[in-house]
């Protein structure tokens, strides 16, 4: 039985509310990679340095990290549906304002507001999909990762097509698509029951007191530094036209989607979650090291190839974060994301700085080291993570080589 079939437990047979939420999630994740192909164009259009333009990621993810503490607080009081709509409204407004920016400072500020909306939406969307999806939590996570992969793949392509006309257009395009998502959520998603206990701002931090969740978050912190060095710094190294850069990151996103949705579950079923995660992190470290020291063609190939390892890592980390502790999923997700998104904010800022202080190769050396550190955390803390890894394995069985997810 294929996990993508249309039977009762298949990922494709979902309520309209789930598809509306997943569709809006695609656009939300598009916003992360949207600016990748046009970073050089933005720098040129606003007379900004690469370091200044990279702050588009830093402000976005710094606010996203802090806002993670507010997501559960908000959704447990006003409900998941309203939290999603508030987040979408923030994205629509600030993405549109970003397109009107006259200075890099304005653009960085509007991206921060965009990050707040994205935090409210993305964290709550995962909980909504898990709660409403048919086929159990495994199918829900697979659907969420599919949305992530599709969004990360399409973001650079949309950014390239619109950005080749004018660097402002991708921001207006995102605002329009998220407005459509707002209407779909309004039409198809009914309000879900509020949790019996209201979540406090400190609950995600308290959840990190669990050794397994803290270990997953710390490992993901190091991994995310590597991830966003590739995403935010590589476009300046490749120095390509928006179309070519968009094509590179589209191919990167396709690999990310395929490996997160199809390959990762099969590898987990055969080798176990922790072995797959540790091995993928080491391979990612080797890949970015070659990326940093190779010629232009090698850099392009390694950039695309990194999507495969990133896709595997994303899936395993998400499952670990949601299941390793006894904390409610939204609380565990918020605590985990609070830690890891700080690295996503740090990498775009430090990578150009490290290049200024040293040379263009060293930022990738640092990224390779952080990936290895992420693998070492998994190795050293494997006992704390083993309970969840073992619990996940029965959920993945194979019939004739096709992955099946248990309900």
């Amino acid at each position: 039985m294929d996990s993508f079939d249309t039977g009762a437990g298949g990922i494709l047979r979902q309520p309209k509310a789930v598809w509306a939420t997943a569709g809006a999630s695609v656009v939300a994740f598009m916003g992360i990679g949207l600016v990748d192909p046009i970073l050089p164009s933005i720098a040129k259009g606003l007379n900004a340095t690469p370091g200044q333009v990279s702050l588009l990621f830093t402000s976005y993810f710094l606010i996203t990290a802090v806002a993670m503490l507010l997501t559960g607080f908000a959704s447990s009081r006003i409900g998941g549906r309203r939290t999603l709509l508030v987040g979408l409204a923030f994205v629509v407004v600030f993405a549109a304002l970003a397109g009107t920016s006259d200075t890099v400072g304005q653009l960085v500020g509007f991206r921060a507001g965009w990050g707040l909306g994205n935090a409210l939406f993305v964290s709550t969307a995962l909980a909504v999909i898990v709660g409403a999806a048919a086929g159990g939590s495994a199918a829900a996570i697979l659907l969420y990762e599919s949305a992530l992969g599709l969004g990360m793949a399409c973001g650079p392509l949309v950014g390239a097509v619109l950005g080749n006309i004018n660097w402002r257009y991708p921001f207006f395009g995102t605002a329009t698509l998220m407005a459509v998502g707002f209407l779909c959520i309004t039409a198809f998603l009914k309000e879900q029951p509020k949790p019996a206990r209201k979540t406090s701002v400190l609950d995600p931090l308290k959840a990190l007191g669990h050794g397994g969740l803290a270990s997953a978050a710390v490992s993901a912190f190091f991994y995310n530094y590597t991830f966003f060095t590739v995403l935010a710094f590589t476009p300046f190294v490749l120095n390509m036209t928006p179309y070519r850069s968009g094509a590179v990151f589209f191919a990167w996103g396709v690999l990310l989607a395929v490996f997160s949705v199809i390959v990762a579950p099969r590898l987990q079923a055969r080798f176990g979650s922790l072995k797959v995660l540790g091995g993928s992190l080491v391979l990612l470290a080797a890949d970015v090291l070659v990326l940093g020291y190779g010629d232009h063609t090698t850099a392009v190939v390694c950039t695309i190839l990194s999507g495969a390892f990133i896709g595997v890592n994303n899936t395993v980390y998400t499952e670990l974060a949601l299941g390793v502790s006894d904390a409610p999923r939204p609380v565990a997700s918020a605590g985990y994301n609070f830690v890891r998104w700080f690295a996503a904010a740090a990498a775009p800022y430090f990578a150009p700085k490290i290049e200024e202080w040293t040379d263009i190769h060293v930022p990738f050396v640092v990224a390779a080291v952080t990936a290895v550190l992420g693998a070492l955390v998994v190795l050293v803390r494997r006992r704390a993570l083993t309970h969840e890894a073992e619990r996940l394995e029965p959920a993945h069985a194979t019939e004739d080589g096709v992955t099946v997810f248990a309900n």
Side-chain angles (χ1 to χ4, degrees):
M1 176 179 167
D2 197 328
S3 62
F4 286 86
D5 69 19
T6 56
I11 187 178
L12 297 181
R13 193 173 183 84
Q14 300 294 340
K16 291 181 180 179
V18 172
W19 285 117
T21 306
S25 298
V26 171
V27 182
F29 287 118
M30 281 174 57
I32 296 176
L34 185 82
V35 299
D36 251 38
I38 58 171
L39 286 175
S41 299
I42 294 173
K44 183 178 179 181
L46 295 177
N47 295 316
T49 66
Q52 289 175 319
V53 173
S54 292
L55 290 176
L56 292 175
F57 286 98
T58 298
S59 64
Y60 181 88
F61 286 114
L62 186 61
I63 297 300
T64 296
V66 175
M68 284 297 164
L69 300 180
L70 303 175
T71 56
F73 177 87
S75 63
S76 66
R77 284 163 174 77
I78 66 175
R81 180 176 181 272
R82 290 180 182 175
T83 304
L84 288 177
L85 293 176
V86 169
L88 285 169
F90 268 90
V91 174
V92 170
V93 171
F94 283 102
L97 288 173
T100 67
S101 301
D102 294 320
T103 67
V104 70
Q106 290 178 355
L107 186 54
V108 169
F110 292 140
R111 277 282 284 183
W114 186 343
L116 173 59
N118 211 55
L120 290 170
F121 175 80
V122 170
S123 182
T124 309
L126 176 56
V128 168
I129 290 174
V130 169
S137 61
I141 290 172
L142 190 63
L143 184 62
Y144 183 79
E145 291 297 335
S146 300
L148 188 155
L150 184 59
M152 295 294 276
C154 293
L157 197 62
V158 173
V161 172
L162 297 178
N164 197 59
I165 303 171
N166 188 295
W167 67 263
R168 300 178 187 273
Y169 286 8
F171 298 106
F172 294 135
T174 298
T176 302
L177 289 173
M178 287 305 253
V180 173
F182 184 96
L183 295 175
C184 289
I185 296 290
T186 301
F188 298 116
L189 180 63
K190 296 180 180 180
E191 186 57 79
Q192 295 183 319
K194 297 178 184 178
R197 177 181 173 273
K198 293 181 179 179
T199 302
S200 77
V201 175
L202 296 180
D203 280 351
L205 297 179
K206 293 177 182 177
L208 290 170
H210 185 280
L213 182 60
S215 300
V218 171
S219 178
F221 173 88
F222 289 121
Y223 155 66
N224 264 36
Y225 186 94
T226 308
F227 178 177
F228 285 93
T229 296
V230 173
L231 194 62
F233 184 65
T234 303
F236 292 106
V237 176
L238 298 180
N239 193 26
M240 303 167 79
T241 65
Y243 274 132
R244 290 186 177 182
S245 183
V248 168
F249 279 95
F250 173 71
W252 168 86
V254 169
L255 275 186
L256 188 154
V258 170
F259 274 74
S260 65
V261 176
I262 299 175
V263 178
R266 298 185 181 198
L267 291 176
Q268 287 176 273
R270 182 167 183 176
F271 300 107
S273 295
L274 298 187
K275 289 182 180 179
V276 170
L277 181 59
S280 181
L281 286 167
V282 171
L283 290 173
L284 177 62
D287 181 77
V288 297
L289 199 59
V290 175
L291 192 164
Y293 281 93
D295 58 21
H296 189 268
T297 301
T298 301
V300 169
V301 171
C302 287
T303 298
I304 295 172
L305 183 60
S306 70
F309 308 123
I310 288 170
V312 170
N313 294 337
N314 285 350
T315 293
V316 180
Y317 274 123
T318 299
E319 292 183 353
L320 288 175
L322 289 182
V324 74
S325 73
D326 295 328
R329 285 192 178 99
V331 174
S333 177
Y336 162 77
N337 282 301
F338 172 74
V339 174
R340 75 181 183 112
W341 286 131
F342 276 110
Y349 175 78
F350 283 111
K353 291 291 185 183
I354 292 171
E355 182 197 8
E356 292 176 11
W357 300 332
T358 54
D359 59 49
I360 199 169
H361 307 296
V362 177
F364 294 101
V365 175
V366 174
V369 170
T370 55
V372 171
L373 288 174
L376 286 176
V377 172
V378 172
L379 176 64
V380 173
R381 298 290 296 166
R382 63 187 180 278
R383 287 177 180 266
L385 295 167
T386 296
H387 172 70
E388 168 60 10
E390 290 178 345
R391 192 186 70 78
L392 286 173
E393 308 316 331
H396 304 294
T398 56
E399 295 178 9
D400 300 324
V402 179
T403 303
V404 182
F405 291 85
N407 290 341

